[in-house]
Amino acid sequence: MIYILGIESSCDDTAAAVCGNTKILANIIANQEVHRHYGGVVPEWASRAHQQHIIPVVETALQTANIKKEQLHAIAFTRGPGLLGSLLVGTSFAKGMAMGLGIPLIATDHLQSHILAHFIQDSENEKAVPAFPFICLTVSGGHTQIVLVKDYFSTEILGQTIDDAAGEAFDKAAKIMGMPYPGGPLIDKAAREGNPHAFSFREAKIPGLDYSFSGLKTSFLYFVRDQLKKDTGFIGKHTADLCASIQHAIVSTLMKKLLEAARVTGIRDVAISGGVSANSALQKAVKEAGEKEGWNVFIPPLAFTTDNAAMVAVSGYFRYLQREFAPLDIIPYSRQ
Ligand code: KG4
Ligand code: ZN
């Protein structure tokens, strides 16, 4: 059994996980409350909070896994993309620990890790995993991509957003409605009571498999602003319908290109990953499309959709098998 400690600190979650091969033995996350009322992550605060959280989070992960640090074979960390100050905390911690223990350091890519979350085994029964090549819609707060996954580390981007990410569209719409950050899960919850066809917003028409979400956000902003001029209580009276309608617009945009990607490639193993893959309407739409189109659909368990270190540990395990180790002078990157 190969034991890997995974460390994730790319944005506002400090996370550590331990895996034995692809099986997760512990998956610990410390969320940061400080950003809630600022409509987004404040980078400087995020890196300070990572500094506070990293040691207790790693200690708890090792204790939960019942693994002594001397039993670890390697330390994997997220090298990027993400907030540089946040990434530096995880990177420096991983370097120090690997050096102290005299074991290899493994650098992982955050977006690849979101995709490799599909290979995590977390229960007694072996879970089915996608077969290569498969298509993965990676949708998070920072990225929206349709990726052709040829092998664990061989990927090709078929399409991606030219401006905002889908998660950003959720979060910005929530902010316009006065909800705290991150608004995606709150919109998902409120939308359950609403009518997705109550209001319609302008969806972008972008060629090929690329996306654009900034126009949708503006259309939502102007619509709400105009309604507020007529009735200052508009948001409160129509929260559920507003949430259901913006969610519908985002999900239908995501689905159109995903369907097109599956059709042009002829690939039938279709996965979704990243924070927005936790969205119940997106999950439902992918399952329905899967039934119609004859896809094998892969949706990660909730804990592995949003940022977590289990995906980093498993991604590290696959790199460990290839002996892909990082030098101690490696530095993080903020962009892909
Ligand atoms: O993958 P992730 O945790 O962090 C990044 O790598 O960005 O994704 C966070 C994003 C946020 O924009 C958050 O609002 C969104 O995922 N999100 C959701 C849901 N859960 C998280 N969006 C819609 N519905 C959800 N249930
Ligand atoms: Zn992420």
Side-chain angles (χ1 to χ4, degrees), residues 110 114 140-142 167-168 170-171 182-185 188 274-276 278-279 305-307:
H110 186 71
H114 270 304
S140 70
E168 238 176 311
F170 271 107
D171 296 338
D188 190 351
V276 179
N279 184 264
T305 54
T306 45
D307 288 349

Side-chain angles (χ1 to χ4, degrees), residues 103-119:
I103 57 176
L105 178 69
I106 300 174
T108 67
D109 177 89
H110 186 71
L111 294 171
Q112 263 175 3
S113 297
H114 270 304
I115 294 171
L116 294 177
H118 285 286
F119 296 90

Side-chain angles (χ1 to χ4, degrees), residues 30-301:
N31 303 113
Q32 301 182 2
E33 281 293 311
V34 285
H35 313 288
R36 239 177 110 70
H37 296 288
Y38 288 85
V41 177
V42 185
E44 180 65 27
W45 289 354
S47 47
R48 288 186 208 186
H50 282 305
Q51 284 278 8
Q52 283 177 322
H53 293 159
I54 192 130
I55 290 180
V57 163
V58 169
E59 273 179 349
T60 310
L62 288 168
Q63 274 164 16
T64 309
N66 203 15
I67 294 287
K68 291 191 187 67
K69 53 186 186 309
E70 292 75 22
Q71 287 175 272
L72 293 171
H73 291 81
I75 316 274
F77 69 99
T78 303
R79 187 180 174 201
L83 300 170
L84 212 51
S86 291
L87 290 163
L88 275 168
V89 179
T91 305
S92 309
F93 185 89
K95 283 182 187 183
M97 192 161 172
M99 193 153 54
L101 293 169
I103 57 176
L105 178 69
I106 300 174
T108 67
D109 177 89
H110 186 71
L111 294 171
Q112 263 175 3
S113 297
H114 270 304
I115 294 171
L116 294 177
H118 285 286
F119 296 90
I120 297 173
Q121 297 292 346
D122 63 338
S123 60
E124 290 311 312
N125 303 319
E126 281 284 293
K127 189 180 69 146
V129 296
F132 299 118
F134 66 93
I135 289 176
C136 189
L137 173 69
T138 307
V139 264
S140 70
H143 297 85
T144 298
Q145 295 182 335
I146 298 179
V147 185
L148 174 64
V149 189
K150 300 173 195 165
D151 203 345
Y152 296 111
F153 299 112
S154 169
T155 54
E156 184 188 330
I157 298 169
L158 301 178
Q160 61 187 326
T161 183
I162 57 166
D163 43 50
D164 291 352
E168 238 176 311
F170 271 107
D171 296 338
K172 285 179 178 172
K175 191 179 175 188
I176 292 165
M177 290 185 282
M179 292 173 170
Y181 174 86
L186 303 174
I187 289 186
D188 190 351
K189 198 163 168 229
R192 284 178 201 155
E193 313 293 321
N195 172 9
H197 303 289
F199 310 113
S200 61
F201 307 106
R202 195 170 57 82
E203 285 180 40
K205 294 204 170 34
I206 302 290
L209 296 173
D210 286 338
Y211 290 110
S212 164
F213 287 101
S214 72
L216 182 63
K217 174 203 67 192
T218 312
S219 162
F220 185 78
L221 175 70
Y222 289 170
F223 173 76
V224 172
R225 189 194 57 187
D226 292 346
Q227 298 304 314
L228 284 175
K229 278 184 200 153
K230 293 182 238 162
D231 175 7
T232 52
F234 179 79
I235 295 176
K237 287 178 200 155
H238 300 280
T239 306
D241 283 348
L242 281 168
C243 290
S245 301
I246 188 71
Q247 175 172 276
H248 174 73
I250 296 170
V251 170
S252 77
T253 304
L254 289 171
M255 287 308 297
K256 273 181 207 145
K257 298 291 172 91
L258 183 61
L259 277 158
E260 208 175 315
R263 283 180 193 146
V264 295
T265 57
I267 288 173
R268 308 254 295 261
D269 275 24
V270 178
I272 57 173
S273 69
V276 179
S277 71
N279 184 264
S280 59
L282 178 62
Q283 293 193 357
K284 186 164 168 266
V286 175
K287 281 182 199 153
E288 281 172 7
E291 270 170 32
K292 250 199 207 148
E293 304 284 321
W295 295 347
N296 302 311
V297 167
F298 297 88
I299 297 171

